[in-house]
Amino acid sequence: MDHFIAFMEKHFIPHAAKIGAQRHLVAIRDAFVVTMPLLILGSLAVLLNNLPIPFFQDFMNNAFGEELWKSFGGAIWSGTFGILSVFIAFLVARNLAHGYGKDGISAGVVSLASFFTIGGATGMSSNGLFIALIIALVSAEIFSRLVGNEKLVIEMPEGVPPAVARSFAALLPAIITVSIFGLIYTMFRAFGVTDIVTSFYNLVQKPFLGLANTLPSAILLAFITPFLWFFGLHGANMIEPLMQSINAPAITANAEALANGDIAPFIVNKPFFDSFVNLGGTGATLGLIIAIFLFGRRNKAYKIVTGLSTAPGLFNINEPMMFGLPIVLNPIMFIPFISTPVVLVIVAYFATSFGLVPAAVTMPPWVTPPIIGGVLATQSIAGGVLAAVNLTISVLIYAPFVKIAEIQALKREAEATEV
């Protein structure tokens, strides 16, 4: 194990760290972080409109009329998930241009204009998400390079307010950038493609979602995050762009299916991982905490750290365990920390695919305690039961390794006493 860790530190970690700091991925990740509260709000609005409690539904329908009271949740959905691609088109370009040291606000506005130039009005919700990402990255690259060209700067006389001067400095680069996308749109029209966003969704995004919804892809995502975390790299942040690209359209499709009385089509999404896999944080470390309380109480160091980590762990915050126990670069914890999420994904996936548990249709805040999160995500008690089962499984997987750590700790204490 020591040789493996040394090999990874030398050959893998430097490259992984560079990927994690890559400015395009950082721009996408930070954009989704900004939109996360809105996605949670939109999910709660869907939950309110479709709360599976007959008494509540009957009361609201009789008191206010179904169309009226559900318009509240519908309006919130329209202002969150309904314009998600618009947010992403602006924020990703803004973040990327800012990373280049350019005017981020102008870049975001230009990206937004480019998105609608290409026909984004037909894909403002999550079905236009991939197009929005591509346009944001490409337009920000073009704009950032043009805005630094002195030949494209319109000089303004002295005394002009700085805001006005900046807008004129970005005028020609903005015109060129938006015109490029206007030309692209015209070329597609010439070949008979009148709706680029919808065509792209049917050709690329929808098949990608189907591929990402498979068990192998879920296992891969469950493996990558703790694997990176073990070496001190924030795995969740590094795969967040991919996770959100899968998550937002899947949640939207599931919510729409729920509203229409259909079965949710996508099993794999962010609440699937938050509610059934990352119990207590990456690696299902709440199971580790419970295992230490049950089987490792004689390990004084583990007991102290676990006592301090329990409260955060209940809200899926596990940095105290990661660096205090530690889990990072701890050879004893490598196997359970990597394998537990994979096992939980397999159990949760088959439980959902067999119809024992509904698919996750809403996105509770990631700090929602385990079991409660399962109920809220699936709008079913069965979701809470599955979370409890997975938590029990995580305890059983961690238990033998906790005992190994305890035995080693007691040996060290005995040797120190003899000395």
Side-chain angles (χ1 to χ4, degrees):
M1 180 61 72
D2 291 339
H3 293 294
F4 173 72
I5 292 175
F7 174 83
M8 296 299 290
E9 285 184 321
K10 181 179 180 180
H11 298 286
F12 172 77
I13 293 179
H15 299 291
K18 289 180 181 179
I19 294 174
Q22 208 279 331
R23 57 164 51 96
H24 296 82
L25 294 180
V26 170
I28 296 173
R29 182 198 69 202
D30 291 348
F32 277 108
V33 168
V34 172
T35 61
M36 187 60 63
L38 298 178
L39 299 184
I40 292 173
L41 175 60
S43 294
L44 294 178
V46 173
L47 172 61
L48 176 66
N49 275 12
N50 299 279
L51 198 64
I53 301 177
F55 170 77
F56 172 79
Q57 294 286 338
D58 293 340
F59 173 79
M60 296 299 288
N61 290 340
N62 294 330
F64 305 101
E66 181 176 1
E67 183 177 350
L68 178 61
W69 82 265
K70 287 195 173 183
S71 66
F72 172 75
I76 292 177
W77 186 92
S78 298
T80 52
F81 277 98
I83 54 172
L84 175 61
S85 295
V86 176
F87 292 136
I88 294 302
F90 176 85
L91 290 169
V92 171
R94 183 265 174 199
N95 293 341
L96 182 56
H98 184 74
Y100 283 123
K102 306 297 182 180
D103 184 358
I105 299 297
S106 296
V109 170
V110 169
S111 173
L112 204 54
S114 301
F115 176 66
F116 282 105
T117 298
I118 211 79
T122 61
M124 291 191 293
S125 62
S126 60
N127 65 326
L129 185 60
F130 277 62
I131 281 282
L133 282 171
I134 294 171
I135 291 177
L137 294 172
V138 174
S139 66
E141 288 285 351
I142 296 173
F143 179 80
S144 296
R145 283 162 171 74
L146 294 178
V147 81
N149 192 327
E150 295 181 356
K151 296 180 180 179
L152 298 177
V153 176
I154 300 177
E155 297 290 343
M156 300 297 293
E158 295 183 5
V160 173
V164 176
R166 284 197 301 271
S167 64
F168 273 89
L171 177 60
L172 293 179
I175 290 174
I176 295 172
T177 303
V178 176
S179 297
I180 289 174
F181 286 97
L183 179 61
I184 293 173
Y185 177 76
T186 303
M187 292 173 62
F188 272 97
R189 288 294 298 263
F191 287 97
V193 180
T194 57
D195 190 340
I196 296 176
V197 175
T198 302
S199 298
F200 184 89
Y201 175 80
N202 292 329
L203 182 65
V204 178
Q205 185 172 340
K206 194 173 181 179
F208 174 77
L209 284 175
L211 179 64
N213 196 50
T214 62
L215 179 59
S217 68
I219 291 174
L220 180 62
L221 289 172
F223 170 81
I224 290 176
T225 304
F227 183 79
L228 293 172
W229 255 122
F230 181 80
F231 295 98
L233 302 170
H234 201 304
N237 279 354
M238 294 180 70
I239 70 166
E240 187 70 10
L242 174 61
M243 180 65 78
Q244 289 296 350
S245 298
I246 298 170
N247 172 59
I251 283 292
T252 301
N254 285 0
E256 291 175 352
L258 175 67
N260 295 329
D262 299 326
I263 298 175
F266 295 113
I267 295 175
V268 180
N269 48 38
K270 194 172 189 299
F272 171 83
F273 282 94
D274 288 346
S275 302
F276 306 127
V277 181
N278 299 328
L279 304 171
T282 299
T285 48
L286 184 58
L288 174 57
I289 290 174
I290 296 173
I292 291 174
F293 277 127
L294 294 177
F295 307 106
R297 287 178 291 180
R298 292 189 296 169
N299 189 335
K300 295 179 180 178
Y302 273 24
K303 186 176 180 181
I304 293 172
V305 174
T306 302
L308 296 173
S309 303
T310 300
L314 290 173
F315 297 94
N316 303 318
I317 300 169
N318 65 350
E319 277 77 2
M321 293 292 287
M322 288 290 189
F323 301 105
L325 199 63
I327 295 173
V328 172
L329 296 179
N330 183 343
I332 297 176
M333 290 298 158
F334 177 76
I335 293 176
F337 185 64
I338 299 297
S339 62
T340 300
V342 173
V343 173
L344 300 189
V345 158
I346 294 172
V347 173
Y349 188 92
F350 280 114
T352 307
S353 62
F354 289 158
L356 301 177
V357 179
V361 293
T362 63
M363 190 163 62
W366 65 272
V367 292
T368 303
I371 300 177
I372 296 176
V375 174
L376 295 179
T378 62
Q379 300 187 33
S380 168
I381 297 297
V385 173
L386 175 58
V389 169
N390 273 6
L391 183 59
T392 303
I393 292 172
S394 69
V395 174
L396 295 177
I397 294 175
Y398 275 113
F401 298 92
V402 168
K403 291 301 295 183
I404 292 172
E406 182 184 67
I407 292 170
Q408 290 190 349
L410 293 175
K411 284 183 178 179
R412 288 193 296 268
E413 291 178 10
E415 292 172 357
T417 302
E418 290 177 2
V419 172

